[in-house]
Amino acid sequence: APGYLTWGPTPELTSKPRFFAKAAVKGKHHWATSMHNVTFMPMAEAPLETVPCTGTGCSVIIDSGTSLIAAPGLALMQLSKQIEPIMEDCSNLHKLPTLRFTIDGTEFELPPKAYVMRVVGHVKEEADSIWDVLFFKPKVRKVHMCMPAFMQIDMMSQLGPVWIMGMPFFRYYHTTFDRTAKEMYFARAGADCTPQPFGKGGAQLVSLDSEVDDGPMDMDPEAMVPPSLSSMIDTSTQSVDV
């Protein structure tokens, strides 16, 4: 899908409260902030042992350079207990729940079309480096197959276990990075990636979902970009200073 990168002034201060949700940048080297309560279920109904990032929370990096959503293996195991298996032909896409999570105090939502991908292009057996980072590995590698758009990344940071919100997040949220104020601003991404009022709730999500390309996100395995934090990892502790 087409994307847009704009250099220049951030939105006017008067429009920020109306259009945007704000998150303080708490990382030293990345656009990182805090995240809590990642779940496919309403928090009131979800057993806490199946909900990642409760309590002190996690660290989340907002990164357009990562193709999928990267998360700790344990967290992905927890989420897998909340959702039915995704059919390879995407036939149950409409039955899948919305993914909810709280970034620096604000609740965000991603519909199934965001966190499910459909493999396209040519699948080469030697492309092990990409397939190895997928958490939900298919038994057979083939094209036009639907699967969760999650990569596994197991590392700790000063803010907690590390998550990365990659391109599935940007598909639905217009994001402004303010280097001066050390803040990030999020609006819903409308046509041509124009910012729409952030708002909250199912009605706006359905409206936004209708503006995004129909069906799941198409992904060519050869074009996938894994997280690029490996050079910063302290191998003795498997931790990183975000």
Side-chain angles (χ1 to χ4, degrees):
Y4 300 85
L5 173 63
T6 303
W7 296 90
T10 58
E12 295 295 331
L13 289 174
T14 55
S15 69
K16 284 181 178 178
R18 180 166 54 94
F19 272 85
F20 294 83
K22 182 178 72 172
V25 176
K26 302 175 182 179
K28 299 177 181 178
H29 308 289
H30 299 277
W31 294 98
T33 189
S34 58
M35 182 170 70
H36 291 78
N37 303 338
V38 185
T39 179
F40 287 113
M41 303 171 63
M43 278 300 295
E45 302 175 11
L48 289 181
E49 65 271 15
T50 68
V51 179
C53 302
T54 56
T56 56
C58 298
S59 167
V60 61
I61 299 172
I62 311 300
D63 180 29
S64 62
T66 298
S67 295
L68 307 179
I69 298 173
L74 176 59
L76 294 176
M77 283 295 295
Q78 290 174 302
L79 289 178
S80 69
K81 297 178 181 178
Q82 300 182 18
I83 188 173
E84 64 180 87
I86 296 171
M87 304 300 291
E88 288 188 3
D89 61 358
C90 276
S91 58
N92 65 335
L93 191 67
H94 64 289
K95 298 180 180 179
L96 299 177
T98 296
L99 179 64
R100 295 179 173 86
F101 46 93
T102 301
I103 293 180
D104 199 22
T106 301
E107 185 176 287
F108 287 72
E109 300 175 339
L110 285 177
K113 290 181 184 178
Y115 64 79
V116 175
M117 66 177 179
R118 179 170 50 207
V119 176
V120 297
H122 300 284
V123 178
K124 297 181 179 179
E125 289 298 323
E126 61 267 22
D128 289 332
S129 60
I130 293 299
W131 289 93
D132 285 347
V133 299
L134 296 177
F135 182 76
F136 300 96
K137 296 179 177 63
K139 295 180 180 180
V140 179
R141 302 174 186 177
K142 56 185 178 181
V143 296
H144 305 304
M145 175 176 58
C146 292
M147 67 180 69
F150 292 96
M151 295 176 169
Q152 182 173 349
I153 180 172
D154 292 298
M155 64 177 66
M156 183 62 68
S157 75
Q158 74 273 26
L159 302 176
V162 175
W163 288 61
I164 301 177
M165 288 292 168
M167 290 311 299
F169 180 86
F170 289 89
R171 193 180 186 206
Y172 282 82
Y173 290 100
H174 177 287
T175 304
T176 300
F177 300 97
D178 189 333
R179 294 177 61 90
T180 301
K182 294 185 178 180
E183 294 172 337
M184 293 179 284
Y185 291 88
F186 307 101
R188 297 202 183 272
D192 297 329
C193 204
T194 54
Q196 301 298 313
F198 180 84
K200 181 184 176 185
Q204 284 196 317
L205 191 66
V206 170
S207 176
L208 172 65
D209 203 31
S210 67
E211 298 179 17
V212 179
D213 294 340
D214 189 37
M217 176 177 61
D218 288 339
M219 180 62 67
D220 185 339
E222 293 186 51
M224 289 186 198
V225 180
S228 57
L229 301 178
S230 57
S231 62
M232 303 180 65
I233 297 176
D234 182 340
T235 55
S236 64
T237 60
Q238 282 299 110
S239 64
V240 62
D241 188 357
V242 298

